[in-house]
Amino acid sequence: ASNIPNGTGSDPDLGNAPLPPPLTCSVFVQMVQDPTQFDVLVMPNLYGDILSDLCAGLIGGLGVTPSGNIGANGVAIFESVHGTAPDIAGLDLANPTALLLSGVMMLRHMGLHQYAAKIQTACFDTIKEKKVLTKDLGGNSKCSEFTTEICRRVQDLA
Amino acid sequence: MAAALRGTALALAKGLGGARLHQLVSRPLSVSASLCGSEAPPARADSTFKVTMIPGDGVGPELMTAVKDVFKAGDIPVEFDEFYISEVQNRASDERLEKLLDSMKSNRVAIKGKIHSPMENKGELESFEMKLRRTLDLFANVVRVSSLPGYSTRHNNLDLVIIREQTEGEYSSLEHESVPGVIECLKIITREKSRRIAKFAFDYATKTGRSKVTAVHKANIMKLGDGLFLQSCAEVAELYPKIKHENIIIDNCCMQLVQNPYQFDVLVMPNLYGNIIDNLAAGLVGGAGVVPGESYSAEYAVFETGARHPFAQAVGRNIANPTAMLLSAANMLRHLNLEYHSQMVSEAVKKVIKQGKVRTRDLGGYSTTGDFVQAVVENLRHPPT
């Protein structure tokens, strides 16, 4: 418990004074209240399953959360962990962000960092600008339109 | 509310009937002792309730002091039988446990802080707290997660109930090293205990007018263990046609709780998931310092905080938030049928939080535990003169 780093968030009522260090030992209380105090977490299977879903919920859900499964000798499988969404399959409505960012993780794993950075920036900028978004992110665009926009940005960044 | 529960109602009646009736020696509330003279004190309750108190480790003792101070100021007819038990300080012998159990047998109701379970393996795999829970058969842990008026969080107006089975599951303390470097840890799920906790959850929902009970599990992976739990819940659900029954996988449940907690009402689950969800839900409304919790067996009721931590870093620094313990003490008073006193304490605490002037560090303020207790005391309906 004494190894938990100080929170660096700030309370609006107290101006910019840093928050005092967390007073409890539970990662679940802390993650919900101030996830910024954590960096890399390592844990056994069940806790990882639970905590990764919890954290996905904090950033927008499984539609935008990438993941990778790393084995020995560089063997790895990168995947999005959301469901198969049979109700919107084949309708050009799905949000490709999760799989795309998983692809970015894959590029990093392969050492292709520059390409990874470009695609990630393009993807984040598209989402940030909010003009071309899929339905689950609050927009009206199709999957192909969202993808085209990201491709355009990637080419602009080249 | 707890007194109305089927099964515990009978036990409560037994417990209260056993309480000794004292003529309470009233303490005159005048400013100076010399002024009271032979003035007759106002009428008092003619019985005191005896409650077992276990301060525990970490900030437990400080929080108990807060409870005692508030009770004293509110003239609440409760006397505490204190037991200083601690596993980490070697005060957890069998004799102490015996004495504690005797006290519990006569008082039936307890208020306690967290008895810290050390991480080192000193030979005994079962922690003292688990032993206590099993001996008293405190199978049901109830944490009512309610948003505090005046303290806003990302999700306001929350009102969830988390019911956790706390005598078996992953905390069965059955572990062995079958091969060096390979540990097997047994998770025990029984039909009997699963049915029991499910029945408790549905009874609770019925008595408190709740509409839905959701079972939390990981039966897609632990097909037999959590599968049995799920099946038991479904079987019990059939006896309560007016209450909706759903189930959700633990990882999805955590995600849903942080995105849209309003979809849940009463949640029931085995031991480990209960621990996780208790903490998560506490974080949603303000942290471990604000959520009360209680544990029930067929005969006993133990009142404590919802998210249980010894807060070792806060010991002696007068910074712990006594809200959770005070609200739990108020729940205890309701359980003892001291409804008036219960409301008095909980309203005073909620008023202080709502006013927002006196806040402990975990809620973003700089007040001490003492400041908070003082503010609560000032807000009680009969402030000491």
Side-chain angles (χ1 to χ4, degrees):
Chain A
S2 54
N3 295 329
I4 299 174
N6 286 353
T8 51
S10 57
D11 185 297
D13 294 338
L14 303 171
N16 277 321
L19 282 178
L23 297 180
T24 66
C25 323
S26 165
V27 69
F28 287 94
V29 183
Q30 292 307 314
M31 191 60 81
V32 170
Q33 295 196 291
D34 179 22
T36 60
Q37 61 187 293
F38 298 107
D39 190 2
V40 176
L41 298 123
V42 60
M43 63 208 80
N45 213 332
L46 180 64
Y47 309 146
D49 192 6
I50 296 171
L51 198 55
S52 58
D53 268 28
L54 195 166
C55 294
L58 294 175
I59 60 148
L62 295 178
V64 297
T65 308
S67 81
N69 306 284
I70 319 282
N73 302 320
V75 176
I77 297 181
F78 296 86
E79 59 178 342
S80 55
V81 287
H82 55 66
T84 50
D87 49 331
I88 56 169
L91 301 173
D92 198 15
L93 291 172
N95 180 351
T97 305
L99 192 57
L100 187 59
L101 291 177
S102 302
V104 166
M105 279 178 73
M106 180 186 75
L107 291 174
R108 291 211 168 94
H109 177 79
M110 293 159 75
L112 299 166
H113 299 284
Q114 277 188 321
Y115 297 102
K118 251 183 247 169
I119 298 175
Q120 183 176 291
T121 310
C123 182
F124 284 178
D125 284 349
T126 309
I127 296 178
K128 209 190 291 183
E129 224 189 82
K130 296 191 187 168
K131 288 209 191 114
V132 187
L133 290 177
T134 48
K135 202 165 166 212
D136 61 310
L137 293 177
N140 277 317
S141 307
K142 294 196 173 288
C143 174
S144 46
E145 289 164 1
F146 183 71
T147 311
T148 312
E149 179 64 20
I150 297 178
C151 292
R152 184 186 69 75
R153 283 177 193 271
V154 168
Q155 281 170 329
D156 288 344
L157 284 168
Chain B
M1 161 202 314
L5 286 169
R6 222 184 298 164
T8 57
L10 198 58
L12 178 65
K14 277 192 226 158
L16 287 181
R20 280 163 270 165
L21 296 173
H22 291 302
Q23 207 48 36
L24 187 69
V25 175
S26 16
R27 175 175 61 82
L29 295 181
S30 48
V31 173
S32 157
S34 61
L35 289 179
C36 68
S38 55
E39 207 180 334
R44 298 259 182 270
D46 50 71
S47 69
T48 331
F49 290 96
K50 288 208 83 184
V51 166
T52 307
M53 175 182 270
I54 308 160
D57 294 308
V59 293
E62 295 172 43
L63 299 180
M64 291 304 159
T65 307
V67 171
K68 283 191 278 189
D69 287 347
V70 170
F71 276 30
K72 194 170 172 193
D75 228 6
I76 294 174
V78 170
E79 250 176 59
F80 294 109
D81 262 350
E82 299 182 37
F83 287 86
Y84 289 88
I85 296 205
S86 166
E87 194 173 357
V88 292
Q89 290 176 51
N90 281 320
R91 286 203 228 122
S93 60
D94 286 337
E95 311 159 299
R96 285 180 185 260
L97 181 60
E98 273 307 310
K99 287 200 189 127
L100 175 60
L101 292 177
D102 287 337
S103 169
M104 281 301 293
K105 282 194 191 115
S106 107
N107 297 340
R108 307 264 174 194
V109 175
I111 184 165
K112 76 178 263 290
K114 166 91 179 142
I115 301 173
H116 186 55
S117 308
M119 277 197 284
E120 312 83 47
N121 179 11
K122 290 186 184 162
E124 192 73 64
L125 287 176
E126 186 181 41
S127 70
F128 187 83
E129 263 216 339
M130 272 314 292
K131 200 191 277 187
L132 187 62
R133 273 179 223 160
R134 289 217 188 91
T135 317
L136 294 172
D137 198 23
L138 293 167
F139 68 95
N141 179 241
V142 180
V143 173
R144 178 119 181 241
V145 181
S146 311
S147 297
L148 295 167
Y151 182 70
S152 90
T153 53
R154 189 186 188 84
H155 306 282
N156 289 312
N157 298 317
L158 271 184
D159 189 11
L160 294 173
V161 179
I162 297 162
I163 296 181
R164 163 191 180 189
E165 202 294 325
Q166 60 172 14
T167 55
E168 61 169 16
E170 301 81 351
Y171 292 49
S172 301
S173 311
L174 292 169
E175 302 179 86
H176 53 264
E177 191 168 12
S178 44
V179 161
V182 176
I183 307 285
E184 280 177 340
C185 177
L186 300 178
K187 165 174 163 165
I188 311 292
I189 301 279
T190 58
R191 178 171 283 120
E192 187 192 324
K193 290 192 177 178
S194 302
R195 278 211 185 132
R196 184 169 64 162
I197 194 69
K199 185 161 199 309
F200 181 96
F202 279 94
D203 280 345
Y204 185 96
T206 309
K207 289 297 178 185
T208 54
R210 299 263 176 179
S211 52
K212 182 166 76 165
V213 173
T214 308
V216 180
H217 66 96
K218 189 80 191 166
N220 51 339
I221 301 294
M222 285 173 263
K223 298 185 161 103
L224 297 182
D226 283 357
L228 177 58
F229 180 82
L230 210 56
Q231 188 192 7
S232 306
C233 288
E235 285 166 8
V236 171
E238 283 173 25
L239 303 172
Y240 298 82
K242 291 196 186 140
I243 301 193
K244 221 170 137 198
H245 177 59
E246 286 177 355
N247 62 68
I248 186 169
I249 298 181
I250 173 74
D251 45 346
N252 189 18
C253 183
C254 290
M255 184 159 65
Q256 296 304 322
L257 277 169
V258 297
Q259 292 193 301
N260 177 20
Y262 304 102
Q263 61 187 290
F264 298 111
D265 191 0
V266 176
L267 294 147
V268 63
M269 60 203 80
N271 217 328
L272 180 65
Y273 310 148
N275 178 277
I276 290 171
I277 304 264
D278 279 348
N279 281 277
L280 198 167
L284 291 177
V285 295
V290 304
V291 180
E294 48 231 37
S295 298
Y296 296 105
S297 77
E299 287 148 9
Y300 309 107
V302 176
F303 295 85
E304 46 195 343
T305 58
R308 300 185 275 226
H309 303 274
F311 294 19
Q313 314 95 303
V315 175
R317 290 165 65 193
N318 203 7
I319 54 177
N321 188 346
T323 303
M325 198 56 87
L326 288 171
L327 289 177
S328 199
N331 289 340
M332 179 187 78
L333 293 172
R334 180 174 297 122
H335 180 84
L336 294 170
N337 265 328
L338 291 169
E339 184 63 41
Y340 174 80
H341 298 92
S342 167
Q343 292 255 20
M344 179 171 75
V345 172
S346 64
E347 271 169 27
V349 173
K350 287 182 183 159
K351 207 163 159 195
V352 175
I353 304 253
K354 194 167 183 187
Q355 282 169 350
K357 287 186 226 151
V358 182
R359 288 226 174 127
T360 44
R361 292 180 78 181
D362 57 323
L363 295 187
Y366 286 101
S367 302
T368 61
T369 315
D371 291 340
F372 192 89
V373 172
Q374 188 56 38
V376 172
V377 157
E378 279 163 26
N379 272 299
L380 290 171
R381 247 175 263 170
H382 300 300
T385 46

